[in-house]
Amino acid sequence: MKNNKITICDATVHPGEIANLALPLPELYSCAPLFMPIKVIHGENKGPCLVVFSVLKGVELNGLEIANRIIEYLDPSRLSGTIIAIPVMNVYGLTHYPSNLPTGNDLANCFPGEENGTYGERIAYLVTQEILKKADYCIELETGDINHNILPQVYCNFDNTKTKELAKAFQSPVVTNVALEEHKLRQTAEELQIPLLVYQGGEAMRFDENAITLGVDGIKNVMRAIDMLRREPIQEVKPIFSREEEWILANKGGILRPTVSLGQTIEEGEIIGTISDPFGTDETEYIQSPHKGIVVGVNTSPLIYEGLRIFKTASFLDYDKAEAAIEEWDKKQSDSFIG
Amino acid sequence: MTNNQFTPKGFLVWLICAFFFLYEFLLRTVVGSFQQQIMHDLNLSSFHFSLISVALFLIVYGLMQIPAGILFNHFGLKKTLVVASVLCSLSSVGFASATHYLVAAGCRMLMGFGAAFGFIGLLISVYNWMPHRYVAIFIGLSQFIGTMGPMGAAGPLEVMSHSAGISWRLIFYCLGGIGLILSCLIMLFVDNNKQKAGKYIILQRPEKTAVYIWKLFARNQLWYIALFSATIYFTVEYLSENEGRSFLLLKGISPASASYMITIAWLGYAIGNPLAGFFSDMYQRRKIVMNLAASMGLVSVLMILYMNNETLLYISFFLLGFSSSGQSIGFATIAEQCKKPFISVGLGLNNALITTLAAINAPVIGLVLDTIKEGNTPSLSEYLTVFNILIAVAATSLLVSLFFIKETFCKSAVEYTYLNLSKSSSKEVVSS
């Protein structure tokens, strides 16, 4: 069936059109105007509206690249429905690194926003009103923080069956329950009853080709699963579901030498790395895992301070099955993630 | 950076540019109204008269289209138009004073040089000052003015020439004076619409024009659109300026009816321009209007060639003129394929190709006709054989429009569309 036109602010986008839109952002003290680039690919045929966005903190470059590659791939004549892609949601954060917002808070926690609120709340209000309210599905593209290399995984709300099915379709090796309570954007999506997937892979401010390719393929597969693209979804990977993830923190500052790698199962009490004195004076500390889990994130910085996050572990019901699934998935990748 | 709004200043700028376009169009066509007087006073043969009346003027006019775009881009609307208008004015006075063929020819070339800036300048004023969503309507209206002005002025000038005994020299002195008044008006009121952010005027960084123009000309879409514009417009101009009347006479149409049919074609063109622009802007589509115009053009050419019924021929000529207005959509579309500072160059390319196709194709058709008729008066069947070229040209415009030109949806294909938050869609929903 033929698609209808959609309107974002004062711009009407017609079926079959690829529109490059620039959303004016709240003013800064300089006379430099700031715009949020929005790409709308409006399919000729009717279908759902999928919103894909990235760079909420200003540093998630893998997500930016994934969004751009998806935009390049799509042809509106072969698309059922609409893609609204926002490669950079936090333009201020991207251009003012390491600052996030002029007010210092996270853009994610400014949602659903307020028309006359703070800088971030005003952006959030525009996005909620003009973009999110038009969405049937939503995909957030994330990376780990600076120096945090994350095993590609999808977060979703396990209580929502539809979202869980979409998470499977993404074909990432691990699916984890999303943390809603500390993320108001995700809460807003829940309130608007928009199934939301969060894809996380690689580390901030770095391009990770494997994580990017997996993200692009994952979005394409989700689009197939919701009938936006004609092909049947690929179902090669059986993801494993993790209820909980936890960061292990450093008890001492110094040089970190991990002895485990991403995807590896670690036992409670197992030595997973060492922290030594950079000046060779103090004794080397052996880091013991406080619980059983699979390593899904590693701090890649050799220099760490006390209290810094160093290993992220995910807990599973069946570790043998989980580790086997991750290994099997890793073999199918062009470059190994788990080393 | 933001979309333009209707302003009295913008309307005034557009109006002055439209008057300059009308003025240069008049300079282009007015010589023909005084053919006998000029040939007598300057002791010219028919060939030499044709050179100063059309050929020399149009050669310079055509060659200057792309450079005109570049000069507008470099010097802005005011400076370029003032110089163009002064050149037109001085060359009119020079032409009026000419006693020798070479001086007259030189003045006509200078006139062609100045006139080359008229249409491009008018289009730039549309892009500079008019709201983007009404661009095609204003381009159509601009074309309408260009067509109707000389048509309206031709009659009184003919009367002056033949009945009142007014000399062509006096007319050209007057035209020189009008040119000077226009130069003053341009100097006083015409300006580029400065892009603003709040109360700041956004300055343009110096760009490496040559590099960008090279990149611009490497874009296939520009050439497709220019080819479409040239092919959709060619037939109406060819039939009215060249063999249209002779062909119709061979079909048994009276000389008066043949002349009317040509006039009807231009009437169709004049009506079609703003109308095509209006529908294109209203439905935010370019390609469909181009497809319809090209289809209508092909059908009307076939009807003109193979129908003998007078009423149907009138309709066909009207449709042919109407379909030619697709070229104004070509101007709107080509601008949407260029970055803002280089819109003038794109418009220049479009106009250059329109002029070049007419300049090349008309003599080619004439040459083929001369070869076929072997010194005799051409027969109807010989005309029909040669006019297959017209069918090919019309078919080219349809093929290019259907398969090569991309829909722009009335938005820039190479720049962002800046959203206006005061017209938020969510607010519209709430208020409705």
Side-chain angles (χ1 to χ4, degrees), chain A residues 189-295:
Chain A
E190 278 293 314
E191 281 160 18
L192 292 171
Q193 296 181 320
I194 307 164
L196 169 82
L197 296 184
V198 182
Y199 170 70
Q200 196 181 47
E203 63 178 282
M205 296 303 269
R206 296 278 181 275
F207 275 161
D208 182 325
E209 190 53 41
N210 276 353
I212 292 167
T213 310
L214 192 80
V216 173
D217 292 344
I219 294 174
K220 285 183 199 170
N221 223 33
V222 168
M223 289 174 73
R224 289 180 195 121
I226 55 177
D227 297 325
M228 292 184 80
L229 296 175
R230 277 181 204 136
R231 273 180 56 190
E232 282 297 304
I234 299 162
Q235 290 177 323
E236 286 178 351
V237 177
K238 266 197 161 180
I240 41 167
F241 289 86
S242 159
R243 266 277 159 198
E244 251 182 29
E245 284 186 348
E246 207 174 324
W247 278 98
I248 298 169
L249 307 181
N251 290 326
K252 175 181 165 47
I255 296 174
L256 172 70
R257 291 192 179 85
T259 54
V260 291
S261 54
L262 286 177
Q264 190 175 328
T265 306
I266 49 176
E267 299 295 332
E268 187 178 344
E270 184 181 333
I271 305 295
I272 55 175
T274 60
I275 299 173
S276 56
D277 182 0
F279 311 106
T281 312
D282 205 356
E283 281 183 4
T284 297
E285 183 176 299
Y286 293 89
I287 310 160
Q288 285 187 317
S289 172
H291 50 254
K292 189 174 183 178
I294 288 183
V295 181

Side-chain angles (χ1 to χ4, degrees), chain B residues 64-386:
Chain B
M64 276 307 294
Q65 288 306 303
I66 294 173
I70 296 169
L71 289 171
F72 272 119
N73 176 38
H74 198 76
F75 294 107
L77 206 54
K78 186 198 282 280
K79 283 182 195 165
T80 319
L81 272 188
V82 165
V83 172
S85 177
V86 166
L87 283 179
C88 285
S89 171
L90 292 179
S91 55
S92 293
V93 173
F95 187 72
S97 320
T99 52
H100 192 271
Y101 165 69
L102 285 178
V103 176
C107 288
R108 279 300 277 173
M109 287 174 79
L110 199 62
M111 228 180 267
F113 185 93
F117 294 84
F119 188 51
I120 304 294
L122 179 55
L123 294 183
I124 291 168
S125 75
V126 169
Y127 275 94
N128 246 278
W129 288 97
M130 294 302 162
H132 293 168
R133 57 184 304 193
Y134 301 119
V135 152
I137 297 176
F138 273 94
I139 290 176
L141 281 173
S142 305
Q143 301 263 32
F144 177 81
I145 290 168
T147 321
M148 294 310 282
M151 275 171 75
L157 285 172
E158 290 264 359
V159 173
M160 282 185 210
S161 156
H162 294 294
S163 318
I166 291 174
S167 152
W168 63 276
R169 292 189 191 277
L170 180 62
I171 295 291
F172 271 92
Y173 280 127
C174 291
L175 284 171
I178 293 171
L180 277 182
I181 295 169
L182 265 175
S183 305
C184 294
L185 288 174
I186 293 166
M187 188 109 76
L188 287 173
F189 300 110
V190 172
D191 212 346
N192 276 74
N193 188 8
K194 303 252 181 350
Q195 292 297 313
K196 288 180 181 170
K199 289 185 176 174
Y200 290 94
I201 291 169
I202 301 169
L203 303 174
Q204 291 281 327
R205 259 196 332 199
E207 302 224 22
K208 287 187 177 170
T209 311
V211 176
Y212 185 77
I213 289 171
W214 189 247
K215 277 187 193 166
L216 190 73
F217 286 172
R219 284 175 65 85
N220 291 341
Q221 277 300 304
L222 240 70
W223 294 100
Y224 294 146
I225 296 162
L227 182 63
F228 167 82
S229 302
T231 48
I232 195 114
Y233 181 69
F234 172 73
T235 309
V236 71
E237 185 171 290
Y238 177 78
L239 288 179
S240 65
E241 303 286 331
N242 293 274
E243 301 290 339
R245 281 186 186 84
S246 313
F247 172 71
L248 287 171
L249 294 179
L250 281 174
K251 279 184 157 239
I253 306 294
S254 69
S257 294
S259 296
Y260 276 130
M261 282 176 193
I262 301 293
T263 311
I264 286 285
W266 285 112
L267 186 70
Y269 178 71
I271 295 171
N273 273 311
L275 217 57
F278 172 75
F279 282 114
S280 174
D281 283 345
M282 192 167 83
Y283 292 107
Q284 299 189 335
R285 293 284 200 288
R286 300 281 187 235
K287 197 175 155 85
I288 193 162
V289 181
M290 289 164 129
N291 289 344
L292 283 173
S295 312
M296 195 188 284
L298 182 59
V299 171
S300 56
V301 168
L302 289 170
M303 282 170 71
I304 287 167
L305 297 190
Y306 295 104
M307 295 273 191
N308 290 319
N309 181 295
E310 200 166 319
T311 314
L312 281 177
L313 280 171
Y314 271 112
I315 295 170
S316 305
F317 269 93
F318 180 81
L319 291 180
L320 179 70
F322 198 92
S323 69
S324 305
S325 61
Q327 63 125 343
S328 67
I329 305 300
F331 278 105
T333 315
I334 209 162
E336 281 151 6
Q337 293 289 346
C338 303
K339 288 200 171 178
K340 198 165 185 183
F342 297 97
I343 283 177
S344 53
V345 183
L347 296 172
L349 173 75
N350 206 40
N351 215 19
L353 224 65
I354 291 170
T355 321
T356 310
L357 188 81
I360 293 171
N361 223 0
V364 165
I365 295 176
L367 201 70
V368 177
L369 198 60
D370 282 345
T371 315
I372 287 179
K373 74 182 183 184
E374 293 173 337
N376 303 315
T377 312
S379 68
L380 184 62
S381 66
E382 284 166 344
Y383 264 122
L384 286 174
T385 307
V386 175

Side-chain angles (χ1 to χ4, degrees), chain A residues 11 34 49 56 60 86 90 92 120 122 161 184 201 228 240 245 273 294 313 322:
Chain A
L34 215 54
C49 176
L56 254 175
E60 307 95 315
I86 307 175
N90 186 355
Y92 182 92
R122 287 171 194 237
T161 324
K184 286 190 176 170
M228 292 184 80
I240 41 167
E245 284 186 348
I294 288 183
T313 58

Side-chain angles (χ1 to χ4, degrees), chain A residues 10 12 14 17 20 22 130, chain B residues 284-285 411 417 420 424-425:
Chain A
D10 62 328
T12 306
H14 300 264
E17 182 177 358
N20 295 308
E130 296 295 337
Chain B
Q284 299 189 335
R285 293 284 200 288
K411 295 188 188 83
T417 301
N420 186 353
S424 153
S425 61

Side-chain angles (χ1 to χ4, degrees), chain A residues 7-17 19-24 31 33 35 37-38 115 126 129-130 134, chain B residues 1-3 197 200 202 283-285 408-409 411-421 423-428:
Chain A
T7 305
I8 296 175
C9 295
D10 62 328
T12 306
V13 186
H14 300 264
E17 182 177 358
N20 295 308
L21 308 177
L23 182 73
C31 76
F35 293 92
I38 300 169
E115 192 172 9
L126 285 174
Q129 298 301 316
E130 296 295 337
K134 292 181 174 72
Chain B
M1 211 170 266
T2 49
N3 287 336
Y200 290 94
I202 301 169
Y283 292 107
Q284 299 189 335
R285 293 284 200 288
T408 59
F409 297 95
K411 295 188 188 83
S412 171
V414 288
E415 286 185 329
Y416 283 101
T417 301
Y418 294 94
L419 299 175
N420 186 353
L421 295 180
K423 291 181 181 170
S424 153
S425 61
S426 58
K427 280 178 188 166
E428 279 168 17

